[in-house]
Amino acid sequence: MELHFNPYDFEYRIEDGITYFYFYGRTMEGQKVAVKHRYAPFFYADASGIDKQEFEEKINCLVLKSGPEPAKAAGFEMIEKESQGRKQEFYKIYANYPKAVPLLAKEIQSWGLACYERDILYVHRYLRDHGIIPMKTVKASGAFVQDQWMRAPVFLAEKVEPQKSETSPEWRVLAIDIETYAVKKEIDFNHNPILMISFFGMKDGQEFRKVLTWKNTALPEYVEIVPDEGALLKRMKEIIIEYDPDIITGYFTDGFDFPYLQSRAGKHKVQLDLGIDHSEIIVHQSGFGETEAKIKGLLHLDMLKFIRNIFGKDLDVETYSLDAVSRALLGHQKHEVDLDQLSYFWDHEPEKLAEFCAYNLHDSFLAYKLCEKLLPDMIEFTSIVGLPTFDVIRMRFSKLVESYILKRAAEFNVLAPNKPENTEISRRMEESIQGGFVYEPTPGLYDDIIVFDFRSLYPTIICAHNISPEGFRCACCKDLPHVPGKEEYWFCSHGKKFLPAILEQLILRRAEIKQQIKEAKKKKEDTSLLDARSYALKILANSFYGYMGFYAARWYCLECAASTTAYARNYIAGTIAKAQQEGFKVIYADTDSCFLLLEEKTIEEAMKFMEGINENLPGQMELEFEGHYPRGIFVSLKGLKGPKGVKGSEKGAKKKYALLKKDGNIKIIGFETVRRNWSPLAKEMQEKVLRLILQEKVAEAIQYVKKTIDELRKGEIAADKLVLKMQITRELSSYSSFAPHVKIAGEMQQRGQPAGPGTVVKFIIVKGKGLIRDRAKIPADVSPGQYDAEYYVTHQLIPVVSSIFTVLGYSEEELFKESSQTGLGKYF
DNA sequence: CGAGCCCGGGG
DNA sequence: GTGTACGGGCTCG
């Protein structure tokens, strides 16, 4: 029989020595289903220049005992693949189970054969090789089989193929959020219980809202009261199973809610066996101390991960907090509550908990709304990359690009190069290239600024000039034009090479989508799906250049990256020169953008200039009008570091300016983002000063700074605006460097206050001599006016506003020197 | 300057 | 999970 279904979670299982790929999803009729399909893992070995007979005899009797099962080659065949632009023969070697692949490859490499695609995850390989797109419809041919373990019927497929279908199912989404006991922001998985769990969803057109808690008091109708924390966890499990979601979502659920739930469940010996096969929530370490949480048979989407890694890059937020992100994306914000009170009320005034239940529910609501809004985007990335949505939203750009390339490589019969070894990575990290061209602005305040930029500059250059590793310095094109400014570099112009070819498809596909968006808008149709598609294509295309220069890339090609920026510098320099010839004053240019002053010219003349540029550009390259700003401030770029690697060169071209938009809003670029080791005072000052100056209230801005500094020096600033925070991350004895926060933590411990790993230490710098650490004090010990005003002036306030005032011709001296009537001496 | 360390999100 | 790893900024020495 045939089964049509939409899968969203995947794994492999070994049953009686056979490796099966498992799909988990929902049938077109809405029934949850597991589909299994036999598929053998494999990798490739370079067959050139070896004694084939000897090799084949050796491989036939190869058995390695180091794995969980003896690793054996389950057969091999000879195939042809394209490697570095040439067709070549390889052995395709099958393994008896997935983890045998790296073991066998390592052994065979020791025989002197280069092995490839030996670290491609089995699940990923399966999806690519079968052209399966997660979330989209799949047709399986086979039959249902008996299985006592799964929470869904199991279908054994003989054959599996992707289906073209335009209708996408209504995914059933459940958002979840927990509140925990915590005094003074101290999060402690071991000692502090979960107080509340909220759920928000939409099932069969009905809103689902629920909060579980274990304090017996009068609470709103959506709150369900259970006897204790253990019961809370058990009830949560029941609710999720009954709701039967496809997608479970939340905010920082990878790093907080699920690990917390898992840890509390362990404490109460409650089985959170939510998996389709009754497995428990799986929390694993991923990367630099981060975790990710998985429930088998469900799709867990941590909205923070997608927003932080992929979607948030174009989002104008200063932190990725749920509050900031919800404001920016949904126009909603979090409920305002004092979370310190939750634990207090829990202990002393439970009748006041209703407010916190509402808060808890609202956070689930926000996560649900974020998921709902971004699901089209997450699904688009899934489609383009062809990997599970779970993985895709947790990837960084380099991995996303590489996954896209690997998918296309399978289609093009291109062999994937191996990841670099550690020694190779270190070598690559030493290498650097020149970045974008920066036309340094004359710092100042300007009126009527016109901004042009090249649309997708780097991607369009890579395509227009066929920049690729295989075509680098080819034998056939030596006499054709070379890369401008890189006379020893040229690229083959015979036939589109692999990377430019697949990149061009992204660009052309996006152009089509943009056309469709235009038409849909004319007809007043909803464009959100098309917008998502266009956005995904753009992000991916823009990441190709960075990928080629990324040290860990399989398709690393620093010469390609260097040539891309060389062409770009040439194009932007040409644009600047032409603008000047036509009598425009260019005030600033950076990589792909050019800022002109309108002065006595008209907008029409500026547009005419742009058209002139566009007549001479190759391929998909195009200069676009970005905007007209009534006023802007540019500050000096002093203190820049020289180019170092691709990233470093981007940093070298760092911009620092603020523009006033026609609607009165300001666009701030490149000024310090404020982190928790900046005082609240510094943050406040920077924003206010920029705003005042762009509104031409310079005198007022100076007045404000002087007044603030005056107050600071008089000791009138509230100490809480001066608090610096730093976290203790290990046992104090194991710190080798004795930083201020370590000293403070030591003092706290002496007083019997906890200051172990995880504690956020707060301190204020006070007057005195010596190193900063000698003058760091616990805020409670700081008497009014004892703080070191000069430290705050020089380390906090000057850094955030000095460049702004320097531009206007004010020296630091004038602004920050002590005024005569408020000398320090007064307070000593 | 390099080495070492901390930040993010979450209660 | 056929896992191994971010990027920026500050302080100390």
Side-chain angles (χ1 to χ4, degrees), chain A residues 82 116 140 160 169 218 269 275 677 698 729 767 779:
Chain A
E82 188 184 314
Y116 296 92
V160 165
K269 307 230 174 348
N677 47 356
V698 178
T729 55
K767 291 167 192 159

Side-chain angles (χ1 to χ4, degrees), chain A residues 586-623:
Chain A
V586 177
I587 52 161
Y588 174 57
D590 179 0
T591 313
D592 60 354
S593 64
C594 185
F595 292 52
L596 313 179
L597 291 188
L598 210 47
E599 294 180 314
E600 72 287 348
K601 289 187 177 277
T602 62
I603 289 276
E604 288 71 30
E605 286 173 288
M607 297 309 254
K608 196 135 196 127
F609 154 74
M610 181 181 83
E611 284 157 24
I613 295 285
N614 282 330
E615 277 165 23
N616 297 307
L617 295 175
Q620 302 289 314
M621 293 189 66
E622 194 184 344
L623 187 68

Side-chain angles (χ1 to χ4, degrees), chain A residues 3 5-13 20-26 32-39 123 126-127 130-140 150 152-157 159-162 276 296-298:
Chain A
L3 183 76
F5 68 108
N6 295 284
Y8 42 77
D9 187 37
F10 313 90
E11 66 165 333
Y12 72 84
R13 289 173 165 255
Y20 291 96
F21 180 85
Y22 268 78
F23 298 83
Y24 301 114
R26 217 177 266 283
K32 267 233 164 146
V33 70
V35 174
K36 64 179 194 174
H37 186 210
R38 185 172 175 165
Y39 192 62
V123 164
Y126 179 96
L127 293 171
H130 294 81
I132 303 288
I133 302 295
M135 319 285 288
K136 306 286 181 194
T137 308
V138 175
K139 183 176 92 181
M150 292 287 176
V154 178
F155 187 90
L156 173 63
K159 192 177 158 204
V160 165
E161 48 191 333
I276 193 164
K296 272 192 194 169
L298 286 185

